[in-house]
Amino acid sequence: MLNERFNKDNIIALATIKDGMPYVRNVNGFYEDSSFYVITYALSNKMKQIEKSPCVAISGDWFTAHGKGVNLGWFCADKNRNIAKKLREAFKEWIDNGHNNFEDENTCILRIELTDGVLFSHGTRYDIDFYFQKPPTQHRKNILRSLRSRRMTSGHGSGCTRSGQSPTNMLSWRHGYSFENERETGRKGCGAAFPPCHRFAVTILCSFLLLLSAGISPKTWPCSRKIPTGRRASQTGSPARSAH
């Protein structure tokens, strides 16, 4: 869904912060693999602000998100060859109009690594957790470990997704994990991690074990008692009903 909307030349608003004051400007962005890429200048105000405070926010076409700004360095560097080729194709209408000096090593690529966002499409809201959009890298594992340690220390979570949103209404559901699932499990107990049918089976098993631990034999349970037949009833002195 994000690729269809943003995997091309887009105008997005990029917000940075300096000394507690927010700054925002429009930039051309290209989306790929949970990140936006922007061609910019390393000595610009936004890059100086990102260097001191990498936390940024973006907005565009019914989509808002938070992220981390990373300077990938010179546009023509060998390490940026693949993404530079994609940016040239996406920005081909204006990239060679003289605005950019690619011989200047300060002409760089800004990567905005998205962390969480909100997308609206056809009247539906999607709360997106980008850390679980794909199999975790070591960087994502370190961030997850840090978040979990903070949750254990504080005793409650403050996940990226908003409460009240169904996990099936999140794009992170396809990888089987989300902060929403973890928060629901922590609030409602271990049973929240099981489907209803499994919870019923666990309840029956626990009841059975509880009765055994109390010394109650299964032979004494009401369901295990046999109903006396006519012959046994006559032997005990109780009148047996005739078949006539």
Side-chain angles (χ1 to χ4, degrees), residues 218-227:
K219 295 181 179 180
T220 62
W221 294 359
C223 60
S224 63
R225 296 177 183 175
K226 296 182 179 180
I227 301 175

Side-chain angles (χ1 to χ4, degrees), residues 87-145:
L87 293 178
R88 281 191 173 276
E89 177 63 24
F91 302 150
K92 60 183 178 181
E93 293 185 1
W94 55 266
I95 193 171
D96 292 321
N97 63 359
H99 179 73
N100 300 297
N101 180 10
F102 293 109
E103 296 181 359
D104 187 346
E105 294 189 2
N106 286 315
T107 301
C108 62
I109 300 175
L110 168 64
R111 180 172 66 196
I112 304 171
E113 299 176 351
L114 303 180
T115 56
D116 62 282
V118 178
L119 174 70
F120 289 90
S121 178
H122 301 289
T124 302
R125 167 177 171 151
Y126 298 90
D127 287 90
I128 311 173
D129 187 348
F130 287 94
Y131 282 122
F132 305 101
Q133 283 290 319
K134 57 184 180 180
T137 61
Q138 187 59 43
H139 174 66
R140 283 178 165 82
K141 290 179 180 179
N142 294 336
I143 293 177
L144 176 59
R145 189 178 300 111

Side-chain angles (χ1 to χ4, degrees), residues 8 31 35 40 45-46 50-51 58 65 70-72 90-91 94 97 102-103 126 144-145 154 170 175 208-209 216 228:
K8 56 185 178 181
Y31 176 83
S35 297
T40 185
N45 288 332
K46 62 176 173 289
I50 289 174
E51 183 179 0
I58 66 167
V70 179
N71 186 349
L72 298 183
F91 302 150
W94 55 266
N97 63 359
F102 293 109
E103 296 181 359
Y126 298 90
L144 176 59
R145 189 178 300 111
S154 61
M170 299 165 53
H175 291 288
F208 177 77
L209 295 176
I216 301 176

Side-chain angles (χ1 to χ4, degrees), residues 30 51 78 124 143 146 166 168-169 180 189 197 215 223 227:
F30 170 79
E51 183 179 0
D78 290 339
T124 302
I143 293 177
S146 174
S166 171
T168 57
N169 197 30
E180 188 69 58
C197 59
C223 60
I227 301 175

Side-chain angles (χ1 to χ4, degrees), residues 55-70:
C55 294
V56 300
I58 66 167
S59 176
D61 197 6
W62 294 96
F63 175 69
T64 59
H66 299 104
K68 176 183 179 182
V70 179

Side-chain angles (χ1 to χ4, degrees), residues 16-17 42-55 69 71:
T16 56
I17 191 169
L43 302 181
S44 63
N45 288 332
K46 62 176 173 289
M47 294 304 294
K48 293 179 180 179
Q49 294 162 4
I50 289 174
E51 183 179 0
K52 294 182 179 180
S53 180
C55 294
N71 186 349

Side-chain angles (χ1 to χ4, degrees), residues 228-241:
T229 61
R231 178 178 298 179
R232 293 184 58 185
S234 61
Q235 292 175 356
T236 57
S238 299
R241 294 184 179 179

